[in-house]
Amino acid sequence: MIDNELITKKKTRSNDEEPNSEEEEINMQNNQLNRKHLQKQKKTNYRLIEPYRSLGIVIDDNKVVYYKRAHDRFLLCSNNNSFLLYNLEHLRLERISPPLPSTIKALAMYKNKIFTGVENKVLLWDKIHIVKEYVSEDDEEIVYLHTFDKLLLALDSKGTLFIWDIFSAELLKSLDLNIESFIHPSTYLNKILFTKKRQRYEEELGIKSSKIYLYNINTEKQIFEYDFEIDGIVTCIEQSPVVDVVGVGFSSGDIILFNLRTFKKILRFKADTRVDHISFSNCVELNLSLLATSTTNGHINVWDLNKNTLHYTIHAFSNISSLVFLPNEPIL
């Protein structure tokens, strides 16, 4: 009788009791995070409107994230308050997350894990389960995410950069640099290349800053700043397949290829209107060095870097929210 009672007590152990193992504790924490963030969906007899079904392919204006795992290629995007993971083989939907109470403003991937920026938090997903959250010190929305090494970098709408350890979720530091956008140049350890938000007095005086800054987030020191002296602000920066070379787009329609090590302009192109996105092709099959740029008038210009000329133009006739050349493939 005593043994049976003990077994019964173990089976009916309440949720308030301490977990018996580390694995149980992790599962309890995951369940708490899911209950905190995920909306409860009403059950319905119509399978068509369940979260893992979709009609058409609809995404929002967030920049998509390309990711490759083994032989599979994925595209991570969002639709208001859910993220969608597409397999690029026939653009098949692999995964869709349960809806969050708030809109997703930023996306990133680290190995097989997905990060979403929601309000002033970053949520880490394992498949469709929230396993960790990173909370910023401010109430501003997280608008951009980036991962490198073992760090998670998050930019909020005020221009503050938050840096977390991905595994421990410890906030390592926050840097008030007034950042508009940034990239981490490949091979540049602990460094970011960024543009600053325009100050109010600059807008009132009509001053247009075309500067970029290279900054060491570890030592918290600025390495250099460079002014392109262009009548337009920097709108986008993109790493090229060549080390030290980046592409910089401007509101004036200018596109400049710039060497970070020698501080020299390599090539310059001119589009009709503001440049919103830049992407480089590194496909050997094409036997061409191509640069694609999208503009506010809905055009995609593809430039030949070898001949320094416009290769061709794609008329999309709508705003482009993302522009990505797939690595080592002749696909845009």
Side-chain angles (χ1 to χ4, degrees), residues 2 15 39 110 128 146 199 213 221 242 267 290 301 323:
I2 294 174
N15 292 331
Q39 296 176 347
Y110 179 81
I128 58 170
H146 186 75
Q199 302 295 332
Y213 304 83
K221 290 182 180 180
V242 180
L267 289 175
L290 299 179
N301 296 317
L323 187 72

Side-chain angles (χ1 to χ4, degrees), residues 22 110 179 329:
E22 185 179 349
Y110 179 81
I179 297 174
E329 295 190 54

Side-chain angles (χ1 to χ4, degrees), residues 1-237:
M1 289 293 293
I2 294 174
D3 291 341
N4 289 335
E5 286 179 6
L6 287 173
I7 292 170
T8 305
K9 284 182 180 180
K10 285 183 180 180
K11 287 183 178 179
T12 59
R13 180 170 57 88
S14 66
N15 292 331
D16 297 331
E17 293 181 31
E18 293 295 324
N20 287 336
S21 66
E22 185 179 349
E23 184 178 353
E24 285 187 17
E25 184 178 359
I26 292 172
N27 289 333
M28 287 175 61
Q29 292 174 355
N30 293 348
N31 291 333
Q32 289 172 1
L33 283 173
N34 279 285
R35 285 195 298 269
K36 177 181 177 181
H37 291 287
L38 300 181
Q39 296 176 347
K40 292 182 179 179
Q41 298 297 307
K42 294 181 180 179
K43 291 186 177 180
T44 174
N45 295 326
Y46 304 101
R47 298 198 68 188
L48 182 66
I49 56 176
E50 289 186 11
Y52 54 83
R53 302 292 180 187
S54 65
L55 282 172
I57 300 172
V58 182
I59 64 172
D60 54 27
D61 292 334
N62 289 332
K63 187 175 181 180
V64 300
V65 179
Y66 172 82
Y67 174 71
K68 185 174 183 180
R69 184 184 66 204
H71 299 293
D72 293 325
R73 302 161 303 152
F74 299 95
L75 205 64
L76 175 66
C77 49
S78 58
N79 180 6
N80 190 22
N81 60 347
S82 298
F83 71 77
L84 303 93
L85 188 67
Y86 285 98
N87 190 316
L88 288 178
E89 195 66 36
H90 306 301
L91 206 61
R92 186 179 73 252
L93 182 62
E94 287 275 328
R95 192 182 309 161
I96 181 170
S97 73
L100 292 161
S102 302
T103 305
I104 295 173
K105 293 293 185 180
L107 297 163
M109 292 197 75
Y110 179 81
K111 297 185 178 178
N112 293 334
K113 301 294 189 292
I114 293 173
F115 295 89
T116 57
V118 180
E119 296 178 342
N120 68 327
K121 305 177 186 68
V122 180
L123 305 178
L124 172 62
W125 300 75
D126 184 6
K127 296 183 179 178
I128 58 170
H129 303 288
I130 300 172
V131 295
K132 200 168 288 185
E133 69 175 357
Y134 310 77
V135 184
S136 72
E137 298 171 338
D138 299 335
D139 293 329
E140 303 292 329
E141 285 187 330
I142 300 296
V143 295
Y144 181 69
L145 296 173
H146 186 75
T147 61
F148 71 87
D149 196 13
K150 298 177 181 179
L151 300 178
L152 169 64
L153 278 62
L155 179 67
D156 72 6
S157 57
K158 197 173 67 175
T160 304
L161 184 68
F162 296 94
I163 304 172
W164 285 280
D165 183 291
I166 288 177
F167 300 103
S168 68
E170 177 189 357
L171 179 62
L172 303 177
K173 61 179 68 178
S174 61
L175 303 172
D176 187 10
L177 298 173
N178 194 34
I179 297 174
E180 176 67 29
S181 62
F182 74 91
I183 64 168
H184 165 58
S186 60
T187 73
Y188 282 65
L189 184 64
N190 296 324
K191 297 175 182 66
I192 60 170
L193 184 69
F194 70 92
T195 63
K196 287 189 176 182
K197 290 180 175 290
R198 293 178 63 193
Q199 302 295 332
R200 184 174 298 175
Y201 74 90
E202 289 180 335
E203 294 177 352
E204 292 172 354
L205 295 175
I207 299 172
K208 296 182 178 180
S209 175
S210 57
K211 293 181 180 180
I212 58 172
Y213 304 83
L214 188 65
Y215 188 88
N216 190 314
I217 60 174
N218 189 25
T219 61
E220 298 185 26
K221 290 182 180 180
Q222 181 175 298
I223 298 169
F224 79 83
E225 67 176 69
Y226 185 88
D227 193 345
F228 289 95
E229 298 179 351
I230 287 178
D231 187 23
I233 60 173
V234 177
T235 53
C236 54
I237 311 173

